[in-house]
Amino acid sequence: MTLPISFADVQSAARQIAGVANRTPVVTSRTANQVAGCHLFFKCENLQRVGAFKFRGAYNALSRLSAQEKARGVVTHSSGNHAQGVALAAQLLGIKATIVMPTDAPASKLAATRGYGADVVLYDRQTRSREEISAQLAAERGLTFVHPYDHPHIMAGQGTAALELFEDVPGLDVLVAPVGGGGLLSGCATAARALNPAVRVFGVETESSNDWWQSFKTGERVKIPPPNTIADGMRTQQPGELTFPVVRQLVEQIVLVSDAQVVEALKFLLLRLKILAEPTGAVAPAAVLNRLIDIPPDARVGVIISGGNVDPGLLAELLN
Amino acid sequence: MTLPISFADVQSAARQIAGVANRTPVVTSRTANQVAGCHLFFKCENLQRVGAFKFRGAYNALSRLSAQEKARGVVTHSSGNHAQGVALAAQLLGIKATIVMPTDAPASKLAATRGYGADVVLYDRQTRSREEISAQLAAERGLTFVHPYDHPHIMAGQGTAALELFEDVPGLDVLVAPVGGGGLLSGCATAARALNPAVRVFGVETESSNDWWQSFKTGERVKIPPPNTIADGMRTQQPGELTFPVVRQLVEQIVLVSDAQVVEALKFLLLRLKILAEPTGAVAPAAVLNRLIDIPPDARVGVIISGGNVDPGLLAELLN
């Protein structure tokens, strides 16, 4: 089967975002290596513009729109970071952005999205479908819909995180990334496997948002009820139509972590490595710090910290 | 007057700690540049081993002891980070370390110091002198006293932070560093002025711990009562005998920030740059983020984040 994106698409995305997106640093820690029992290389997408990897895909997608599409504007839905990514990319490219966001999205993400000049349309996550609202706005206002993950330019854009990581850290044996809609994981797996066909790639999600884990078991895209997890970037209910085949072909296993493990990982990253991850950003670190993946002690393991946008009030709560 | 350290001492210290201390990253942020009105380059000593620059000087000093001195052990006093620096350096070099710490030192710093295998001797900061206790222990037990700042090997070791910063970021016009005892500022000013004689160097302390500011006014080492400031690394009462002449000759001005400005800077670094500084580590950033130094908009400014060790309980309180 031909997959919806190729390594060439990721390389093209890297050229498209060069000089606009941050080339984020890779952080190491002796303490983290001791805890995990292998050599960890944290790719810090929490230090990306808008505080998450989402800017990569958003800028790649928006910058490739036609002049006409740019003039009409874009619409998308997001629990937060994709919203900010699209909002900033739109601002930089002079495009009007409309963002459909749940009423329970973190206040910091709502404020930041509005701060980049986007129009925010709120909806109740328990009663209404964001897909329908977005489709309606697109139809009524002639806007181009920018899917948060099920879109080749988005997937290829997110894959540039792994491309940079593999360029900066030679000889990686393993890649561990969080999976919500699958944009990041599909893009990163595409880049990683192209650069090292022997690399083992793992996706991580939380126990209550286990749609990928169930879908890997059954081989079909299982849809779950709206999950209640602290990792708000993982509240998607079903693997993407485009992302699922890529992940299924290139990823070895979906690993589950508990919300408690995520919080512990967040605190470890903050208090020991001195870097702030949001709960979703601590999901992949939680898997390796708890040794949930069978990794030999001499292995070199790339771990993606996907974002760092967390409400100060929630952070204070987690620290108490 | 001949100063107690030269640039050659800093270069020698750099060779001594190479491969043992972290070469810490330099972080930049478009948002921070907008707030400060110039180009900022944050040297992240919060990502140093033990979470602060203090490891540099401690390892430089301890590794230069004679075999006999190493066999007898070392003693020092510290509100926290120097304690951890000496404790880890001693552990790595197989030296027994005794650390005199105030009873009100942050619990995380006490725990970390003990975690590196050091003996901790507690004292009451309001009623007893740590200098006397340390001297007594040194005499009774034959230990070598390792001064937290007034020691050429310590000063030269801390200066390697600026040496790295100036090597990694070409064309810096300004250097801003916090000043407690003066070890960091004296060493960094020595390196910075040697590498660029035209560089302007500023020291920053909090308003209530203004011993350096007063001493710059009078030209003498003014002693103040034990200061009450959130920046616990600045609770020294008087500039050092060795550090003062270096700072006075090489540093343009001592800048004062309020505790409130320090807390705001800490929160800005955490929530926007996603990096955790302790209050003392946010003192130099506070000066530039509040535009307290007259810096032209095209200037390239190195700013030292000196450490990141903060109790989770205090951090939670500051975030609420």
Side-chain angles (χ1 to χ4, degrees), chain A residues 19-22 25 27 30 46-47 49 51 116 270-276 308-313 315-316 319-320, chain B residues 19-22 25 27 30 46-47 49 51 116 270-276 308-313 315-316 319-320:
Chain A
V20 184
N22 292 341
V27 164
R30 287 173 182 82
N46 52 339
L47 305 185
R49 293 185 81 166
Y116 294 123
L270 183 62
L271 299 173
R272 300 305 297 252
L273 275 70
K274 318 299 181 191
I275 53 176
L276 178 61
N309 294 324
V310 52
D311 261 355
L315 184 58
L319 288 168
N320 271 322
Chain B
V20 185
N22 292 341
V27 165
R30 289 173 180 81
N46 50 339
L47 304 185
R49 293 185 82 166
Y116 294 122
L270 183 62
L271 300 173
R272 300 305 296 252
L273 276 70
K274 318 297 180 191
I275 53 176
L276 178 61
N309 295 323
V310 51
D311 261 356
L315 184 57
L319 288 168
N320 271 322

Side-chain angles (χ1 to χ4, degrees), chain B residues 132-178:
Chain B
E132 278 169 31
I133 299 171
S134 302
Q136 193 183 340
L137 286 165
E140 282 173 11
R141 304 182 188 176
L143 308 176
T144 299
F145 177 64
V146 184
H147 199 282
Y149 49 87
D150 238 358
H151 184 312
H153 294 161
I154 296 289
M155 295 156 69
Q158 321 302 31
T160 59
L163 179 58
E164 290 175 8
L165 176 59
F166 277 69
E167 282 175 355
D168 291 348
V169 183
L172 286 177
D173 305 298
V174 178
L175 177 67
V176 186

Side-chain angles (χ1 to χ4, degrees), chain A residues 167-210:
Chain A
E167 283 175 354
D168 290 349
V169 183
L172 286 178
D173 305 297
V174 179
L175 177 66
V176 185
V179 58
L184 178 69
L185 182 57
S186 62
C188 285
T190 301
R193 295 289 296 270
L195 290 164
N196 172 13
V199 77
R200 300 170 66 199
V201 182
F202 296 86
V204 190
E205 60 185 357
T206 52
E207 287 165 355
S208 56
S209 63
N210 67 353

